Amino acid sequence: MKIAVIGTGYVGLVSGTCFSETGNEVTCVDVDAKKVEKLNAGEVTIYEPGLEKLFLRNQKDGRLKFTTNLAEAIEDALLIFLALPTPPDEDGSADLRYVLGVAKELGMLMKEGEYKVIVNKSTVPVGTAEKVNATIQEVAASKNLSLTFDVISNPEFLREGVAVDDFMKPDRVIIGTRSQKAIQVMSDLYAPYVRQGNPILFMDERSAELTKYAANSFLAVKISFMNEIAQVCERVGADVDMVRRGIGSDDRIGKRFLFPGIGYGGSCFPKDVQALHKSADDAGYNFRILDAVMEINDEQKQHLIPKVLKYFNNNIKGRRFALWGLSFKPNTDDIREAPALAIIDRLLEAGATVAAFDPEAMKNTRNQIGEKITFSPTQYETLHNADALIIATEWNEFRTPDFNKISSMLKHKAIFDGRNLFDLAQMESLGFHYESVGRKKISIPENKTSKPETV
Ligand SMILES: NC(=O)c1ccc[n+]([C@@H]2O[C@H](COP(=O)([O-])OP(=O)(O)OC[C@H]3O[C@@H](n4cnc5c(N)ncnc54)[C@H](O)[C@@H]3O)[C@@H](O)[C@H]2O)c1
């Protein structure tokens, strides 16, 4: 099939590449000319495990192309995927400017007699498929054209960090349309991706649009629930790891997504929770659980700060902190709404300095915050002259570090771990002051964890 994908970010680039992998002819379009130039030169513009190999193979074979020219991309394309940003507007609702802007352009460019399926992959509020349809129809009517097309909803569920796997083997594919013609096209397109029997679920456009928000918001509820349980654990002397295992073995609850931490981030959960709350509000319903989720998550991002302050007698002015992890989760270079950024802000505000390391997200962080912090080439170099170590992202390479090195380099043997990476007994036997989330604090007397200040 000939496919156009509009937007080459995390969703567009992964979708376009994975559609080309099953033999489709894909042209991806972006307004960012620099990005398109890099992609055409064979440079993968995001970090996503497994993507580069597929990208290079399909690009070399001529099935995956990039352009800034929308007209060229949609020419002869049966399918047009919208993978455009839907950032939060000031009131929390999804900003549809990009989606409707492209709909207008499509209305100008589409030709009579060429059937097209316009597929929305962006996360959008209920009713957007109808709005995109109306926008295209309006432009066509102004030009006295009679266009034949369907606008359908196909929300994307890929997770950054495992996006290629998720796309190639999705748990389910959701297709929102009542057009039999579009159902046939989409069934053919997705057949290679659901060979193991995972379902393609067909439904109306509105239900498909809401499904995406419901899924992300439910997951945000699950994380926030565990973050609250962790808060209770710390206050009553229970261990959240034990509680997590205890409840996760119940099939009705499930083992996944029960890990407490320093809050969810990323481009999706924060904005999708807000947008669903706003949509419900607009429809006359106060979605109270989501109010709590947003509040809990904001607080959770600051969870480590009072612990750090308390350890340093409420004064961290002039202190230096090593920070491991900047991305909002491991295996991605995405720092949108990352808890690490909130931690950096608080440390700098209090007069401390920060030396950070992240395997993939340092370039994006530098682009966003400049040289406000030091970027270290390795995780251990962050420890030079650092008073304590803070961990914000659970990259695998942080899980079994050289504790002797950490201990000899840090001024205080103190670790504040927002991702519960280390074993409590091990931390105790190594003599670290160790604080994590929802677990016992390993408290070593200050004179045993600090070294004499060097002059
Ligand atoms: N990132 C995820 O994990 C994820 C997962 C599922 C769904 N989504 C949803 O998918 C959508 C896209 O998310 P993303 O993370 O890929 O966004 P992104 O910001 O990474 O990428 C969007 C791309 O669209 C381009 N663009 C903007 N206007 C354009 C236009 N007029 N024509 C062509 N290109 C244009 C931008 O330059 C950018 O490259 C959002 O609605 C998001 O909520 C994201």
Side-chain angles (χ1 to χ4, degrees), residues 123-142:
T123 304
V124 290
V126 169
T128 302
E130 288 150 51
K131 279 188 185 158
V132 170
N133 190 44
T135 304
I136 299 174
Q137 292 291 14
E138 214 173 281
V139 178
S142 72

Side-chain angles (χ1 to χ4, degrees), residues 6-12 29-32 35 83-86 98 102 105 121-123 156 158 160 212 267-268 271 336:
I6 311 180
T8 61
Y10 288 88
V11 168
V29 199
D30 208 290
V31 281
D32 183 339
K35 202 182 257 191
L84 294 157
T86 48
Y98 303 94
V102 167
E105 286 185 71
K121 262 211 174 300
S122 298
T123 304
E156 182 50 58
L158 64 79
E160 287 176 26
K212 174 66 192 177
S267 67
C268 293
K271 84 171 169 57
R336 291 178 282 188

Side-chain angles (χ1 to χ4, degrees), residues 66-249:
F66 299 92
T67 177
T68 50
N69 188 330
L70 183 60
E72 181 190 310
I74 66 161
E75 181 144 31
D76 303 330
L78 170 60
L79 285 148
I80 302 173
F81 279 86
L82 310 183
L84 294 157
T86 48
D89 225 333
E90 272 162 27
D91 62 1
S93 59
D95 182 351
L96 289 179
R97 168 176 15 153
Y98 303 94
V99 170
L100 296 179
V102 167
K104 223 176 201 174
E105 286 185 71
L106 290 176
M108 317 261 244
L109 296 169
M110 279 160 51
K111 295 178 185 145
E112 275 183 327
E114 278 182 20
Y115 173 69
K116 295 201 186 293
V117 186
I118 296 151
V119 190
N120 187 30
K121 262 211 174 300
S122 298
T123 304
V124 290
V126 169
T128 302
E130 288 150 51
K131 279 188 185 158
V132 170
N133 190 44
T135 304
I136 299 174
Q137 292 291 14
E138 214 173 281
V139 178
S142 72
K143 293 170 67 189
N144 276 329
L145 290 180
S146 169
L147 300 176
T148 44
F149 65 95
D150 285 304
V151 178
I152 75 170
S153 166
N154 169 216
E156 182 50 58
F157 294 91
L158 64 79
R159 294 162 297 165
E160 287 176 26
V162 277
V164 171
D165 272 1
D166 280 351
F167 199 94
M168 295 306 290
K169 286 179 242 150
D171 286 343
R172 78 312 207 176
V173 175
I174 303 283
I175 310 283
T177 180
R178 283 156 295 174
S179 151
Q180 284 309 316
K181 212 167 166 183
I183 286 176
Q184 192 53 54
V185 172
M186 295 303 280
S187 304
D188 293 346
L189 174 71
Y190 275 107
Y193 303 86
V194 292
R195 283 168 51 236
Q196 286 170 337
N198 291 344
I200 301 184
L201 301 172
F202 292 98
M203 55 185 78
D204 62 279
E205 297 83 347
R206 288 184 162 241
S207 303
E209 288 165 340
L210 189 56
T211 298
K212 174 66 192 177
Y213 281 113
N216 273 2
S217 298
F218 187 79
L219 293 170
V221 169
K222 210 169 169 187
I223 295 175
S224 298
F225 179 83
M226 281 313 286
N227 283 337
E228 293 228 280
I229 291 289
Q231 294 278 2
V232 176
C233 284
E234 287 185 14
R235 286 162 178 79
V236 301
D239 184 330
V240 76
D241 273 346
M242 299 300 138
V243 179
R244 172 176 63 75
R245 289 198 187 111
I247 65 171
S249 41

